[in-house]
Amino acid sequence: MHRQSLLDQLTAYAAKHPEEAETVSQFIDFVASESDCFERSLAAGHVTGSAWIVSADGTQVLLTHHAKLDRWLQLGGHADGDSDVLAVALKEACEESGLKDFEPVGEGIFDLDIHPIPARKSDPEHLHYDVRYLLRATGNTDYIVSDESHDLRWVPLNDVAALSNEESMLRMVRKCGLRLP
């Protein structure tokens, strides 16, 4: 089953984060029951891959001011049929920032979030089942703003709350304090 790798990662994540049991359970149920969960065409929702990119010293995170959603967020996007969600997150990180050199920090999933995406043009409101990986930028950190963003910015972790009060963003800041060496 092409979903098994993600289901295994979700199970491992559940063991590390029992406080997120409800979200993980919903995520597992969705992936297990929807054979097309990686396809953008699945109208109810689909899996997305995101990258929480920190600087080499771990003190800053690269955020995008998302053009369509008009909010500061981590970089990421649709799986478009790719069941290797880490590969999706890495591809999106490169495409949206112009950066090329990253290394995953730690093993497996860094964070999970299920959130609604508003209706737009012919697309109805739907859910993004967002799998997030912690990446460290290891090379040149001079980014390029893509057409998917109004702006990109390296933001000190302590300043993320000034740009976003979304719980999922603040949760990733808190998790950085626990995961970064």
Side-chain angles (χ1 to χ4, degrees):
M1 177 194 332
H2 69 288
R3 297 169 281 164
Q4 193 58 55
S5 175
L6 179 56
L7 288 169
D8 292 345
Q9 289 181 63
L10 291 167
T11 300
Y13 183 86
K16 292 179 189 175
H17 298 281
E19 71 283 4
E20 297 180 42
E22 184 177 333
T23 298
V24 177
S25 177
Q26 290 174 14
F27 221 112
I28 289 172
D29 290 347
F30 174 75
V31 172
S33 66
E34 295 289 349
S35 61
D36 291 336
C37 64
F38 301 107
E39 298 293 341
R40 188 187 309 221
S41 59
L42 185 60
H46 33 264
V47 172
T48 56
S50 288
W52 185 256
I53 303 168
V54 295
S55 57
D57 66 2
T59 62
Q60 298 181 74
V61 62
L62 184 62
L63 299 180
T64 176
H65 190 246
H66 196 277
K68 291 180 184 174
L69 298 175
D70 197 29
R71 297 187 314 222
W72 286 98
L73 300 168
Q74 75 285 346
L75 286 70
H78 292 95
D80 289 329
D82 190 344
S83 63
D84 183 346
V85 189
L86 174 57
V88 171
L90 286 162
K91 176 181 74 91
E92 293 291 332
C94 291
E95 288 177 1
E96 293 182 11
S97 71
L99 303 181
K100 302 293 181 212
D101 300 311
F102 303 101
E103 65 181 14
V105 178
E107 299 228 358
I109 297 168
F110 174 60
D111 189 63
L112 292 174
D113 196 59
I114 303 170
H115 52 267
I117 299 298
R120 186 171 183 274
K121 297 183 182 177
S122 63
D123 293 333
E125 180 176 88
H126 59 280
L127 295 175
H128 275 184
Y129 290 80
D130 198 26
V131 182
R132 298 159 172 185
Y133 295 92
L134 180 59
L135 304 179
R136 185 185 318 268
T138 58
N140 184 352
T141 57
D142 295 334
Y143 54 78
I144 298 169
V145 179
S146 77
D147 59 0
E148 296 183 37
S149 303
H150 292 303
D151 195 9
L152 289 177
R153 185 184 306 169
W154 284 106
V155 179
L157 287 169
N158 293 335
D159 294 345
V160 170
L163 296 176
S164 175
N165 62 358
E166 291 183 36
E167 172 52 29
S168 73
M169 297 285 286
L170 302 177
R171 183 177 62 237
M172 289 188 287
V173 169
R174 289 191 301 271
K175 284 182 178 180
C176 268
L178 301 174
R179 295 276 300 266
L180 291 172

